[in-house]
């Protein structure tokens, strides 16, 4: 007769609890026909276990009369008698699995006659060969603890629990009998945080048992995805006071986890990990959920070269004809603060235009500055594939899109930093095609060169853009001589005078600014709006009167210069907040002041407000100073005969706060107090023009409502190829020719010294709002 070894001797044969060979050896030495319980023997587990099995919601709430008793899986069954006791208690649909062939055959022989409906299979519990949602209950008695030996790490435990979640039916249960060590609880709480209800119960100890450890049953009920429930328990500290250290660790773990779960439940703007989302933090990612939006962190140590802040958005209308199942939209660091990318409303606009069923917006930051776009896409590809919906809503290839400006070639001409504006760039560019926002009247081919002024704070918004043309040879020779003289006096690289530019590499070119054209369509749109007051402009010319124009925002000075050339009867005053911008306009865009074109450095709102005050005419002789010296400036504005000449106010300034949703103008220029100041300044007539740039319909309506409240007449010109909308307002019916704009445009064209063919088409798009 074969002798049996003592239990402690057998335990020494195991060593590694995750080794199949060790378990085969253990069960061979143990022999058949005898059960071995690591902990929680049947008499003390029975009542709790039978109660849990009798209240399985997936069975109790089913309307299918043929459902029958719950389907139970016992993974890592070993030679425990728990399955046999359950069978004898009436639960016949039990499947037992273990990766030890020896113990499975032994248990099969032991039960084949007495419990014929019981099933036994040789199978690895970390890679189960069952269909999804096959079981009502998974009963784990020590299996997870065996996989989670501290030396083994959590890899096997993670694989096993992932399989458990897959095979449990909706409203089914995972019953985990465990010693509830901290590293085991940590994995359990993390993986079952979303979409599962969790309760913890104490398994009574055998009377007189002096065991070092207390056994627990952790019950997980499969609930709706994305729900987060606090952990419940059926005990207090006094019940487990027999083991103070273990009990305190458990109570502390529950407290910390519940704090995490409360945060998830109460916050609406959490940033999730990719793991959280795959665990069901925002529902089933395999399916589209119309209007779903969640922030997440992609990648990180061990997963990718870089980590990325991202936003996942499911299209708000799932019935749209999508071009892509899933798309990625990369936002450069310089554009991340723009309303279009930082606000929810703006992000939904990007989703709609992308034609993707699901869009993942990825925001780059300083850590990505040295990586090529090819490297970033390669790094992101495996991360975003796991976020694609399973159903094919469009082409399955995941395209990478990016917010850019369609530039084919770019040469930095000069860079500066201003205390007021921040980093400023002057650059020469060529476009891939006729780029969006460029006036097609002045582009004959895609090989045209343009000089642009860009503020880095809003790199997606070009401040000014000029067409570059070849200089006549005679002018070029003279310019070279002047440049040689200048370069001997100054060591500033990249400075440009009188049309010849020297880039940072020291090379020259013979291009100059074409001041006879407008490269920006919204500038020609502003001019087309002058047709609304063309009659008044004609009267001023006939009477040889001047028309006062105040432009807030100099940019590169291109628009004021064009007005100065085309409409010589205008007295133009430009208000610019930043003196550095004025210097760049002079140095790189050939901007020049004269008696009919002046620039004041100061605040545009204060300038307009002070423009309504008349001062003695002798003050006009004083030198022009900063707006802080108000008396001289005020006088220079009120230099008409009686201050009743026709006036035009144009606000063409950008906002430094792009997150507000209002890129142009700054918010102060659409406040009712400022609008009232403009109305007072225009007096009985004139025209107020605002270049409005906002992708938010709510903000647009707010601006229009305020203008309607102050002015009697309001017109709009929306440019299809641009985000700009030009608004024209006037206090009174001073020759407003909206009923016969064709004749008014012809009248305006006759006044222009330089033809501007585009204004006919643009004027037809002007619509009355009030």
């Amino acid at each position: 007769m074969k002798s049996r070894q003592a239990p402690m001797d057998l335990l020494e044969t195991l060593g590694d609890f995750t080794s199949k060979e060790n378990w085969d050896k253990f069960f061979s030495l143990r022999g058949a026909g005898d059960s071995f319980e690591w902990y929680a023997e049947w008499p003390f587990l029975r009542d709790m276990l039978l109660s849990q099995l009798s209240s399985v919601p997936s069975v109790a709430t089913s309307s299918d009369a043929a459902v029958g008793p719950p389907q139970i899986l016992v993974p890592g069954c070993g030679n425990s008698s728990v399955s046999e006791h359950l069978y004898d208690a009436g639960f016949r649909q039990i499947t037992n699995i273990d990766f030890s062939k020896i113990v499975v055959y032994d248990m099969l022989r032991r039960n084949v006659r007495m419990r014929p409906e019981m099933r036994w299979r040789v199978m690895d519990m970390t890679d189960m060969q069952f269909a999804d949602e096959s079981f009502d209950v998974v009963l784990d008695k020590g299996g997870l603890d065996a996989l989670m030996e501290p030396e083994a790490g959590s890899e096997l435990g993670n694989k096993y629990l992932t399989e458990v979640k897959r095979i449990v039916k909706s409203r089914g249960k995972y019953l985990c009998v465990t010693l509830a060590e901290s590293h085991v609880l940590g994995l359990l709480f993390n993986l079952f945080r979303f979409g599962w209800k969790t309760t913890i119960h104490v398994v009574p100890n055998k009377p007189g048992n002096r065991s070092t450890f207390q056994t627990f049953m952790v019950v997980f009920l499969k609930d709706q995805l994305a729900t987060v429930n606090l952990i419940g328990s059926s005990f207090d500290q006094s019940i487990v006071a027999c083991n103070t250290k273990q009990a305190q660790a458990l109570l502390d773990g529950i407290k910390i986890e519940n704090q995490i779960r409360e945060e998830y439940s109460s916050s609406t703007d959490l940033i999730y990990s990719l793991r959280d989302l795959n665990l069901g933090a925002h529902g089933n990612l395999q399916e589209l959920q119309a209007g779903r939006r969640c922030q997440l962190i992609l990648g990180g140590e061990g997963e990718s070269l870089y980590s990325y802040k991202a936003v996942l958005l499911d299209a708000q209308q799932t019935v749209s004809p999508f071009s892509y199942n899933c798309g990625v939209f990369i936002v450069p660091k310089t554009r991340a603060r723009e309303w279009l990318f930082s606000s929810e409303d703006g992000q939904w606009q990007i989703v709609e235009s992308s034609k993707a069923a699901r869009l993942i917006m990825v925001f780059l930051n300083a850590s990505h500055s040295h990586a090529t776009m090819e490297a970033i896409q390669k790094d992101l590809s495996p991360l975003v594939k796991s976020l694609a919906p399973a159903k094919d809503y469009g082409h399955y290839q995941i395209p990478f899109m990016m917010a850019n400006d369609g530039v084919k070639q770019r040469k930095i001409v000069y860079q500066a930093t201003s205390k007021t504006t921040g980093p400023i760039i002057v650059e020469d560019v060529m476009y891939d095609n006729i780029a969006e926002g460029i006036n097609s009247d002045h582009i004959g081919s895609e090989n045209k060169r343009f000089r642009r002024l860009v503020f880095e704070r809003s790199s997606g918004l070009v401040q000014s853009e000029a067409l570059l043309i070849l200089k006549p040879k005679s002018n070029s020779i003279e310019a070279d001589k002047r440049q040689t003289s200048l370069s001997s006096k100054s060591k500033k690289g990249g400075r440009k005078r009188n049309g010849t530019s020297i880039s940072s590499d020291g090379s020259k070119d013979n291009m100059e600014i074409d001041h006879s054209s407008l490269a920006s369509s919204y500038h020609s749109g502003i001019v087309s709006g002058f047709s609304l007051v063309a009659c008044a402009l004609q009267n001023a010319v006939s009477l040889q009167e001047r028309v006062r124009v105040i432009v807030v925002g100099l940019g590169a000075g291109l628009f004021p210069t064009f007005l100065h050339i085309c409409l010589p009867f205008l007295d133009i005053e430009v208000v610019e907040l930043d003196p550095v911008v004025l210097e760049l306009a002079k140095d790189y865009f050939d901007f020049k002041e004269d008696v009919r074109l002046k620039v004041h450095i100061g605040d545009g709102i204060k300038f307009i407000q002070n423009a309504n005050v008349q001062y003695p005419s002798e003050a006009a002789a004083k030198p022009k100073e900063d707006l802080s010296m108000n008396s001289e400036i005020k006088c220079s504005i009120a230099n008409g005969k009686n201050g009743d000449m026709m006036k035009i106010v144009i606000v063409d300034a950008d906002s430094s706060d792009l997150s507000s949703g209002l890129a142009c103008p700054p918010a102060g220029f659409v406040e009712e107090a400022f609008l009232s100041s403009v109305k007072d300044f225009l007096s009985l007539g004139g025209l107020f023009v605002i270049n409005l740039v906002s992708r938010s319909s709510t903000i647009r309506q707010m601006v229009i409502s305020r203008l309607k409240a102050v002015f009697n007449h309001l017109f709009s010109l929306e440019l299809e190829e641009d985000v700009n909308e030009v608004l024209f307002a006037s206090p009174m019916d001073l020759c407003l020719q909206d009923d016969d704009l064709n004749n008014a445009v012809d009248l305006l064209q006759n006044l222009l010294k330089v033809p501007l063919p585009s204004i006919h088409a643009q004027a037809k798009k002007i619509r009355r709002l009030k």
Side-chain angles (χ1 to χ4, degrees), residues 546-567:
R546 311 295 299 171
V547 174
R548 178 172 302 157
V549 177
I550 296 177
V551 180
V552 179
L554 174 67
L558 301 171
F559 182 59
T561 299
F562 180 84
L563 293 180
H564 183 58
I565 294 171
C566 288
L567 299 168

Side-chain angles (χ1 to χ4, degrees), residues 419-719:
K419 292 181 180 179
T420 303
T421 307
I424 304 175
I425 298 172
V426 178
E427 60 185 11
D428 289 351
V429 302
M430 294 177 64
Y431 291 100
D432 283 323
N433 293 296
I434 296 177
E436 185 174 315
I438 304 301
N439 192 337
S440 58
D441 291 339
H442 303 289
I443 300 180
S445 73
E446 60 186 67
N447 294 320
K448 296 283 187 179
R449 286 177 58 187
F450 297 87
R451 175 155 296 171
R452 310 199 310 184
L453 179 68
V454 179
F455 296 167
E456 193 169 296
R457 70 187 183 196
S458 55
S459 61
L461 189 68
V462 178
Q463 302 298 319
S464 299
E465 189 161 43
L467 180 65
L468 290 171
I469 58 175
L470 283 172
K471 288 194 294 185
K473 289 186 178 181
S474 58
N475 291 350
S476 178
I477 294 172
E478 291 301 318
D480 286 344
K481 290 179 179 178
R482 287 194 295 271
Q483 182 62 46
T484 302
S485 175
L486 283 169
S487 62
S488 65
K489 298 177 183 179
S490 173
K491 294 183 180 180
K492 290 186 177 180
R495 303 298 281 178
K496 178 247 176 213
R497 303 281 180 182
N498 299 319
T500 302
S501 63
I502 299 181
S503 62
S504 56
D505 62 3
S507 61
K508 292 184 181 180
D509 61 46
N510 293 316
M511 308 292 286
E512 66 179 5
I513 304 297
D514 181 9
H515 284 299
S516 66
S517 68
L518 289 174
S520 297
S521 58
Y522 82 90
H523 278 153
S524 60
I526 292 175
V527 177
S528 71
F530 284 8
S531 59
L532 294 168
V533 290
C535 178
L537 294 175
Q538 178 62 59
N539 289 339
V541 172
S542 300
L543 297 173
Q544 296 185 338
E545 291 180 351
R546 311 295 299 171
V547 174
R548 178 172 302 157
V549 177
I550 296 177
V551 180
V552 179
L554 174 67
L558 301 171
F559 182 59
T561 299
F562 180 84
L563 293 180
H564 183 58
I565 294 171
C566 288
L567 299 168
F569 55 88
L570 303 182
D571 281 342
I572 304 171
E573 292 180 284
V574 184
V575 188
E576 172 56 51
L577 191 62
D578 192 345
V580 174
V581 172
L582 174 59
E583 290 304 310
L584 291 177
K586 291 179 178 179
D587 290 349
Y588 294 96
F589 294 88
D590 285 343
F591 177 73
K592 298 179 179 67
E593 294 183 82
D594 60 26
V595 293
R596 295 191 296 106
L597 177 56
K598 301 177 181 179
V599 177
H600 303 285
I601 300 299
D603 183 274
I605 293 176
K606 293 180 179 178
F607 190 90
I608 298 296
Q609 291 170 340
N610 293 334
N612 293 310
V613 182
Q614 300 285 334
Y615 283 84
S617 59
E618 58 268 18
K622 295 182 180 180
K624 179 177 65 176
E625 299 180 20
D626 188 271
L627 275 182
S628 59
M629 306 297 292
N630 286 326
S631 60
E632 290 82 4
I633 300 302
K634 292 172 182 175
C635 184
S636 70
I637 295 173
N639 59 4
K641 295 178 182 179
N642 297 308
D644 59 353
M645 66 172 65
M646 182 185 174
K647 302 162 188 172
I648 299 175
V649 176
I650 302 170
V651 176
D652 185 22
D654 80 311
S655 172
S656 60
D657 182 14
L658 297 181
S659 62
S660 68
L662 189 60
C664 293
F669 287 92
V670 292
E671 296 291 341
E672 290 185 11
F674 173 73
L675 298 179
S676 296
S677 296
V678 174
K679 180 181 179 181
D680 293 341
F681 175 68
L682 295 179
S683 186
L684 298 179
L687 192 65
F688 176 45
V689 185
I690 286 184
N691 173 34
L692 178 65
V693 180
S694 176
R695 295 181 186 267
S696 169
S697 58
T698 302
I699 292 176
R700 176 185 177 273
Q701 287 301 323
M702 177 268 292
V703 173
I704 289 175
S705 296
R706 290 180 180 177
L707 285 166
K708 286 181 176 180
V710 174
F711 294 94
N712 297 335
H713 301 276
L714 182 63
F715 298 84
S716 168
L717 171 59
E718 293 188 59
L719 304 172

